[in-house]
Amino acid sequence: MKIDGKPYRTIWRDDAGVVQVIDQRWLPHELRIVPLRTRADFARAIAEMWVRGAPLIGATAAWGMAVQMADDPSDAALNDTWEVLHATRPTAINLRWALDRMRAALAPLPPGERAGAAARLAEEICDEDVEINRRIGEHGLQIIRDIAARKGGRPVNILTHCNAGWLATVDWGTATSPMYHAYEEGIPIHVFVDETRPRNQGAQLTAWEMHSHGIPHHLIVDNAGGHLMQHGEVDMVIVGTDRTTARGDVCNKIGTYLKALAASANGVPFYVALPSPTIDWRVHDGVREIPIEERDGREVTHVQGRAADGSIADVLISPEGTPARNPAFDVTPAELVTGLLTERGLCPASEAGMAAMFGDLKAAAG
């Protein structure tokens, strides 16, 4: 996608061979691009959410392993890097998927061949992500076309939660990819952007994406979605996913489950944009089996914003000393999901549907 007319990915290797990322902690107020040079840099970038979003976390981990192999290609470094990077965030399955893929490809090679092979595979993982997301967009576009045809030229109102945009992937995004495709085709769309407390990825990132691309949108508080659905102002919901079970349960940013309940109660279709690397074939019951990351309570008690003097600051919004709980994700059961938008097409959110569409991947996962 483009920023001020210049195309960007969220992660890339520059002409000097240094991996660069957009440090998303400062958006939308500042665009900061930072280099990642060591394994510790990559671990910190993932854990502290310089980069976030399941596909981008996986791509960053792949590059982290590649950079480490250039520094030390030994078996010990290969396994240690897997452990260090895997420990950064427990919920998004793309992290483990990318690390497993890298280690499986590199372990049989002589150490002298690992650095080059790791860099090539990390680049391949990034390119694959871009193509997967482009195809998700094409399949989602058809759904938006159908709604637009029924509305006779009136805008299609789409609600999304958190940021499953190009900033959460290498490019295109998952939930936003159908929106970008529809907008480029000239279909009138309008997006309701959930603020997505406590990190405000909707307010800070998705709204910035929509504004930068010229897509009509409104920022709404997280609790407004049900009201808008009750009054017929939402035609469809599209969200992303950090891990999806073999039967179609969806783990996504906290608050997604409430949107699914509201959509179900009001007859609004609820779609999940699902890149296949985000499927965890080992897990069936998402509510009981997926580990939910608990983050620092400070993210709840404080908000980041731009002060009147132009500085970016954290502001305390609760009484001093009030403790906070901060589960970062929740699980939406498959029965609340209208369909899974994948790179292979629209998939039923069921064990049979997923096995039919991704039987090869399920078999490979054992």
Side-chain angles (χ1 to χ4, degrees):
M1 308 307 289
K2 294 181 179 180
I3 302 174
D4 295 330
K6 180 180 178 180
Y8 281 86
R9 287 185 173 187
T10 51
I11 185 168
W12 67 96
R13 189 167 58 165
D14 66 17
D15 293 340
V18 178
V19 176
Q20 306 280 345
V21 298
I22 297 172
D23 185 346
Q24 299 182 28
R25 296 173 300 168
W26 306 101
L27 290 173
H29 309 296
E30 293 182 16
L31 175 63
R32 295 190 186 183
I33 295 170
V34 296
L36 303 180
R37 302 180 186 275
T38 68
R39 181 174 71 187
D41 289 343
F42 283 88
R44 186 181 176 198
I46 296 170
E48 296 182 5
M49 295 178 68
W50 305 9
V51 297
R52 20 73 52 212
L56 179 55
I57 288 172
T60 303
W63 271 118
M65 186 168 280
V67 166
Q68 181 62 30
M69 289 298 95
D71 182 60
D72 178 1
S74 67
D75 289 347
L78 180 63
N79 292 320
D80 286 349
T81 301
W82 191 101
E83 296 290 347
V84 167
L85 294 177
H86 184 253
T88 53
R89 306 240 3 227
T91 300
I93 194 59
N94 298 61
L95 175 62
R96 179 168 188 151
W97 169 84
L99 291 171
D100 283 349
R101 182 171 171 183
M102 293 290 289
R103 185 164 65 176
L106 299 174
L109 299 178
E113 297 180 12
R114 287 176 177 169
R120 289 190 295 272
L121 183 51
E123 196 74 66
E124 181 179 317
I125 286 172
C126 289
D127 290 343
E128 285 178 2
D129 180 67
V130 175
E131 178 60 15
I132 284 172
N133 298 330
R134 185 190 67 79
R135 288 161 63 186
I136 287 173
E138 289 183 341
H139 295 301
L141 171 61
Q142 187 55 56
I143 295 173
I144 297 174
R145 282 179 183 145
D146 292 343
I147 295 173
R150 293 196 297 270
K151 296 196 72 175
R154 289 176 291 129
V156 177
N157 290 306
I158 304 168
L159 186 145
T160 191
H161 186 69
C162 194
N163 173 257
W166 73 269
L167 290 169
T169 67
V170 179
D171 207 348
W172 278 109
T174 56
T176 60
S177 187
M179 303 175 200
Y180 289 131
H181 278 81
Y183 181 76
E184 294 301 325
E185 189 171 282
I187 297 173
I189 65 169
H190 168 267
V191 181
F192 286 115
V193 179
D194 276 356
E195 60 182 342
T196 322
R197 286 276 293 145
R199 293 285 302 211
N200 291 317
Q201 295 100 323
Q204 296 180 342
L205 304 178
T206 304
W208 181 77
E209 284 194 35
M210 297 292 105
H211 177 75
S212 297
H213 208 77
I215 295 177
H217 64 284
H218 280 94
L219 176 65
I220 59 172
V221 299
D222 288 342
N223 292 327
H227 166 78
L228 294 172
M229 292 183 207
Q230 280 184 326
H231 289 269
E233 293 191 52
V234 178
D235 295 307
M236 64 186 300
V237 179
I238 312 177
V239 300
T241 174
D242 289 85
R243 186 186 302 210
T244 298
T245 71
R247 78 176 198 96
D249 297 333
V250 174
C251 182
N252 194 50
K253 185 56 60 181
I254 193 77
T256 303
Y257 175 45
L258 294 179
K259 291 300 180 297
L261 288 171
S264 177
N266 291 281
V268 175
F270 182 92
Y271 294 99
V272 177
L274 168 64
S276 60
T278 312
I279 303 170
D280 189 346
W281 296 104
R282 304 164 304 166
V283 173
H284 290 265
D285 187 335
V287 174
R288 291 170 178 80
E289 296 181 59
I290 295 177
I292 300 299
E293 177 182 3
E294 285 264 358
R295 295 186 61 81
D296 191 340
R298 182 182 172 86
E299 294 180 349
V300 177
T301 60
H302 292 68
V303 294
Q304 176 181 281
R306 174 170 280 171
D309 64 1
S311 64
I312 298 174
D314 285 341
V315 178
L316 177 67
I317 62 170
S318 62
E320 190 77 49
T322 294
R325 283 287 306 276
N326 188 15
F329 300 90
D330 59 25
V331 174
T332 298
E335 54 266 26
L336 294 177
V337 178
T338 304
L340 301 166
L341 284 168
T342 80
E343 69 268 26
R344 297 185 182 182
L346 183 62
C347 178
S350 67
E351 190 159 7
M354 293 185 67
M357 182 162 285
F358 295 105
D360 56 328
L361 301 183
K362 183 178 181 181

